[in-house]
Amino acid sequence: MSAAAHSAEEIARRRYLEDTSARRFRRAVRDFIKRRPLGTIGAVIIIVMILAAAFADVVAPYRPDEGVFTGLPLAPSLEHLIGTDSYGFDVFSRLLYGARTALLVGFTSSLVGSTIGLVLGVVGAYFGGKTDETIQRVMDVLISFPLIVIAIAVIAALGPGTTNVIVAITVPFIPRVSRVVRASGLAVVRMPYIEAARSVGVRAPRIMFRHMVPNVFAPYLIMLTAFLGQAILLEASLSFLGLGVVEPEPAWGLMLRGQGMTFLDQAPWLAIAPGVAISLAVFGFNLFGDSLRDALDPKLRTA
Amino acid sequence: MTTYVIGRLLLMIPTLLGVAILTFVIMRVVPGDVVALRYAQGAVPQEVIDKERAQLGLDRPMYVQFTDFMTGIVRLDFGQSLWTDRPVMDEIGGRFGISLELAILATLIATSLAVPLGVLAAVKQDTWVDYVIRVVSIGGLALPSFWLGIMTILLLVVIFQWAPPLIFKPFWEDPKENLAQLIWPALAVGYRYSAVATRMTRSSVLEVLREDYVRTARAKGLREVLVIVRHALRNSLLPVVTVISLEFAFLFGGLVVTEQVFNVNGLGKLIVDAVAHRDYPLVQALVLIFSFVFVFVNFIVDLLYGVLDPRIRYA
C-alpha cells in the first residue's frame, strides 16, 4: 500500500520534472480523444478537409477547369466519381478545390473578426466609462443590423470576389465576440492581480495583453471555433445568392447556384454533392467546437 | 417597472438612429444609383438622366436628403420607391405578412422540436439517446437551409410532382393552400433553427439538474416526470426563451436565401432587389424595420425574464 503510494507519487514527480509543453500538448490531445469521441470525429473531418485542400493538386484527378465541353452533365462513373457538370468539369475535383476557398474564407474571416472583437472587448472592459460606452453603442448598431444586410451592403459597395466576401463575413462577427469577451473581461478587471499590476506601474497595453487577454482567451477561442463553421456556411449562402465568390473560382455555394439549380431534375448529383461537402465541413467544425467548449468551459464540465 | 419600460423604449432611439444613419451613408457610398442602373443598357442622353435624377430628388444636397429621410421617419412616411414609384409602405405591406407568417411557423416548428428533444438529451446525458439527439441537432446547424430546401423540392418534385407555387395565397383567402405553400420552407428553416434551441435547452436543463432543489424534489419521492417538468424545465427556460426569441427576430429578416429557393415573395427577397436597384427609401425602411424587430424582441425578452424568474426585478 505504502509502496504503491510512494511509486505513484514518484511517477507524478518525475512526470512533473520531465514535463515539456510538447508533452503536455500530446497528453491534452490524448485526453481529448479519449473523453470526447464526437469532438474527435469533428477533428478528423477538419484534418481530412485541410489535407484535401492542401493537396488538391495531387489528389484531384482533374484540374478544376479541365474538361471536354459536353453541354449535358455526365452521370457518375469510374472515370468521374461524382460525374461532370455541363462544361465537362469533374465534380469531385471541383469539390476538392472548393475546399480551399471554403477554408480560406472560413479561417481568415473568423480569425480576423474574433480578434478585432477580442481587442474591442478587452479595451472596453479595461477602460470602462466613456470608451466602453462608445464601443458598446457602435456594437449595438452593428448587431441589430441583419447579418445578411451587412454582407449585401459590403458586396454592393466593394463588388463580389473572395477578398470582399471575407470582409463581409468578418464585420458581423466583431460585435458578437466583443460582447462576450467584454462580459468576461469585466469580471477579470476587478481581480486583485490587475490592481497589483497597475499599482506597480505596469502600463495599460501590457496589462491588457499579458493579464487580461489570457484570462478571456477561453470564450474567445470558443466563439472563434463556432464562427469557423458559420463562416463557411455564410460564404456558401452568399456565393449561392451571387454575392460571393465569382466564377471560375471553384466554390461549393457557386456550384449549387449555377449547375446545381439548372440541372436539378436531370443531374441531381450536381446539387447533392456540394451541399454534402458544405454540410460535412460545417458539421466537423461544429462537432469540434462544441467539444472544445465543453473542455474549456469549467461551468459546463461534466464530472 | 413603468420607469424601466419607458427607459428601455427611449434607449432604442439612439440604436435605431445609428442604424438609420449607417444605412443612409452605406447606400450613398455604394457606387451607382437607380437612374444609372435603369439606363445601364443603351445610350441615353445625359439630359434625360439628369432630368430623372432631379425628378427623384437625387440631385439635392446630401443634408437635404438626410433631413427629408429623418423627418419622414417621425411621420412614419418612408417616401416612394425609386424603382416602382409606389409608396414604400405599399411595397412592404403584403410581404410583411408573408415574412411574419413564415417566421412564426418556423419558430413554432423549431420550438416544438427543440424543447422535448433538448430535455430528453439532458435527462439521458451521455447515453446513445443523447448522442443521437446531439448529432441530429449539430447536423441541423451544419445543413445550409437553402440546400435543405433544394433537397426538399427535389424530393417533392420526384415523389409528388409538386412545384414551387407561382402565386401566393394569403391565409385569410385560402388557409389550406396558404399552409401548403409555406409549410415546406417553414420546415426547412424550422429544423435548422431547432438545432440551436435544442442545444440550449440541453445545456440549460443539465445545469439545473445539478441544483440542490432538484435533488430535494427527487429525495421527497416526487415522480421523475414532475421533477423534470416542474422543477428542472421551468427553471431552465430563461436561456431557451432568449434563444428562441432572438431566432424569431433573425428569421424575420434573414430568410433571404430560403425565400429565393422556395419562390416565396417575402421581405428577404425584397431587400435583395432593393439593394440591387439602389432603391434608397426602400432599403432604408426595410433595414429600419428589421432592426426595430430585433431591438423590440430583445426588449420583450428582457421583460419576460421578470415573468419567468420572479427574482429578477426591474428598478
Side-chain angles (χ1 to χ4, degrees):
Chain A
M1 168 77 204
S2 97
H6 179 258
S7 71
E9 198 178 289
E10 187 58 32
I11 289 170
R13 200 177 68 91
R14 215 175 284 156
R15 194 191 245 185
Y16 176 75
L17 285 177
E18 290 166 3
D19 216 5
T20 60
S21 50
R23 264 192 207 160
R24 228 177 302 148
F25 178 72
R26 247 175 289 154
R27 193 155 60 235
V29 169
R30 253 196 318 255
D31 230 47
F32 189 85
I33 293 175
K34 212 169 76 192
R35 293 188 42 197
R36 309 199 183 275
L38 289 184
T40 310
I41 297 174
V44 170
I45 296 176
I46 297 171
I47 292 169
V48 169
M49 189 178 157
I50 291 175
L51 288 179
F55 298 108
D57 293 318
V58 189
V59 186
Y62 301 89
R63 303 265 323 139
D65 48 2
E66 164 192 337
V68 187
F69 182 80
T70 47
L72 267 181
L74 294 179
S77 62
L78 278 179
E79 225 166 302
H80 299 281
L81 288 176
I82 323 180
T84 67
D85 61 17
S86 68
Y87 302 113
F89 296 156
D90 183 54
V91 174
F92 180 64
S93 303
R94 279 183 81 80
L95 283 185
L96 290 177
Y97 282 96
R100 284 189 177 174
T101 315
L103 284 176
L104 175 76
V105 174
F107 272 105
T108 323
S109 53
S110 50
L111 197 68
V112 174
S114 305
T115 307
I116 297 176
L118 173 77
V119 171
L120 288 175
V122 167
V123 166
Y126 181 78
F127 288 107
K130 276 244 166 61
T131 320
D132 187 30
E133 194 63 28
T134 314
I135 296 177
Q136 280 301 302
R137 285 292 85 80
V138 176
M139 294 297 124
D140 274 356
V141 171
L142 271 187
I143 219 167
S144 62
F145 238 74
L147 204 136
I148 197 93
V149 175
I150 298 187
I152 295 173
V154 172
I155 298 301
L158 304 176
T162 314
T163 325
N164 299 339
V165 176
I166 293 175
V167 176
I169 298 175
T170 303
V171 174
F173 285 165
I174 297 171
R176 288 164 176 84
V177 178
S178 102
R179 269 195 178 178
V180 174
V181 166
R182 175 181 171 272
S184 311
L186 283 179
V188 173
V189 94
R190 278 194 291 268
M191 290 288 166
Y193 56 80
I194 301 286
E195 204 187 329
R198 209 181 289 153
S199 61
V200 296
V202 181
R203 282 174 204 284
R206 198 179 151 81
I207 295 183
M208 285 188 278
F209 190 69
R210 294 297 296 267
H211 298 284
M212 290 189 61
V213 168
N215 284 298
V216 296
F217 214 68
Y220 163 76
L221 215 56
I222 290 167
M223 298 289 277
L224 178 72
T225 39
F227 283 152
L228 270 166
Q230 286 272 310
I232 292 177
L233 208 54
L234 265 175
E235 182 265 308
S237 311
L238 286 176
S239 299
F240 177 77
L241 279 176
L243 296 164
V245 180
V246 273
E247 304 269 16
E249 203 90 22
W252 297 336
L254 215 50
M255 294 168 75
L256 265 173
R257 166 187 170 78
Q259 298 276 321
M261 286 300 263
T262 319
F263 297 102
L264 189 57
D265 41 352
Q266 303 149 45
W269 59 89
L270 288 176
I272 295 171
V276 171
I278 298 167
S279 312
L280 206 61
V282 182
F283 186 66
F285 278 111
N286 284 352
L287 270 186
F288 179 69
D290 228 38
S291 301
L292 194 70
R293 186 193 61 193
D294 283 357
L296 288 179
D297 193 347
K299 241 182 88 187
L300 296 170
R301 187 170 286 170
T302 48
Chain B
M1 185 70 189
T2 322
T3 350
Y4 172 81
V5 171
I6 294 172
R8 277 296 304 263
L9 285 172
L10 285 179
L11 258 180
M12 283 180 195
I13 296 174
T15 307
L16 291 176
L17 195 66
V19 169
I21 295 172
L22 198 62
T23 324
F24 184 89
V25 173
I26 287 177
M27 282 317 289
R28 263 80 183 170
V29 170
V30 174
D33 66 12
V34 64
V35 182
L37 284 168
R38 186 170 287 162
Y39 298 123
Q41 267 97 43
V44 177
Q46 190 61 39
E47 302 102 73
V48 178
I49 292 181
D50 286 342
K51 208 179 130 207
E52 191 149 341
R53 282 217 174 102
Q55 226 168 40
L56 293 172
L58 289 174
D59 60 339
R60 296 172 301 164
M62 277 303 149
Y63 71 92
V64 177
Q65 293 187 36
F66 185 72
T67 29
D68 210 40
F69 170 42
M70 285 295 142
T71 48
I73 294 178
V74 179
R75 289 182 281 123
L76 285 181
D77 170 19
F78 292 98
Q80 283 175 327
S81 157
L82 299 182
W83 187 257
T84 61
D85 282 335
R86 291 175 56 204
V88 167
M89 279 317 196
D90 290 357
E91 288 282 343
I92 294 175
R95 298 164 191 244
F96 186 91
I98 300 176
S99 280
L100 189 67
E101 195 189 336
L102 193 50
I104 291 174
L105 270 180
T107 310
L108 282 180
I109 291 169
T111 314
S112 46
L113 278 175
V115 174
L117 286 181
V119 173
L120 193 64
V123 173
K124 305 259 177 205
Q125 191 196 6
D126 285 330
T127 63
W128 65 269
V129 179
D130 181 29
Y131 281 134
V132 168
I133 293 178
R134 276 172 74 189
V135 168
V136 168
S137 73
I138 297 179
L141 276 183
L143 292 173
S145 55
F146 62 90
W147 184 67
L148 198 62
I150 296 176
M151 291 298 111
T152 316
I153 291 182
L154 188 61
L155 279 181
L156 291 173
V157 168
V158 171
I159 301 173
F160 301 114
Q161 275 83 46
W162 180 89
L166 294 174
I167 303 156
F168 180 75
K169 287 262 190 307
F171 186 73
W172 49 89
E173 265 177 33
D174 189 349
K176 223 179 117 205
E177 181 63 26
N178 166 280
L179 281 180
Q181 285 175 346
L182 285 184
I183 196 71
W184 300 113
L187 271 174
V189 178
Y191 167 53
R192 181 178 154 64
Y193 283 92
S194 75
V196 188
T198 306
R199 283 145 52 94
M200 187 50 93
T201 312
R202 176 181 175 272
S203 66
S204 173
V205 170
L206 269 183
E207 224 164 285
V208 173
L209 277 180
R210 263 173 247 143
E211 296 282 342
D212 289 339
Y213 55 78
V214 172
R215 196 182 319 138
T216 313
R218 282 193 182 133
K220 72 179 182 192
L222 205 59
R223 288 220 325 273
E224 185 66 16
V225 181
L226 288 183
V227 176
I228 303 295
V229 173
R230 267 200 216 146
H231 294 254
L233 184 59
R234 265 214 75 170
N235 285 293
S236 51
L237 272 180
L238 223 55
V240 178
V241 169
T242 311
V243 165
I244 291 176
S245 324
L246 291 184
E247 269 167 21
F248 173 77
F250 179 77
L251 280 180
F252 188 72
L255 287 180
V256 177
V257 199
T258 311
E259 284 178 10
Q260 208 90 13
V261 170
F262 282 96
N263 199 23
V264 173
N265 226 343
L267 295 178
K269 236 175 147 179
L270 189 64
I271 192 157
V272 175
D273 291 343
V275 174
H277 293 149
R278 308 286 186 274
D279 196 341
Y280 301 150
L282 192 53
V283 176
Q284 285 160 355
L286 281 171
V287 174
L288 211 56
I289 288 175
F290 292 154
S291 307
F292 175 76
V293 170
F294 184 84
V295 180
F296 191 72
V297 168
N298 258 312
F299 163 68
I300 298 290
V301 169
D302 279 352
L303 287 187
L304 269 180
Y305 279 179
V307 178
L308 287 173
D309 188 344
R311 282 171 303 184
I312 299 175
R313 283 270 166 269
Y314 300 109

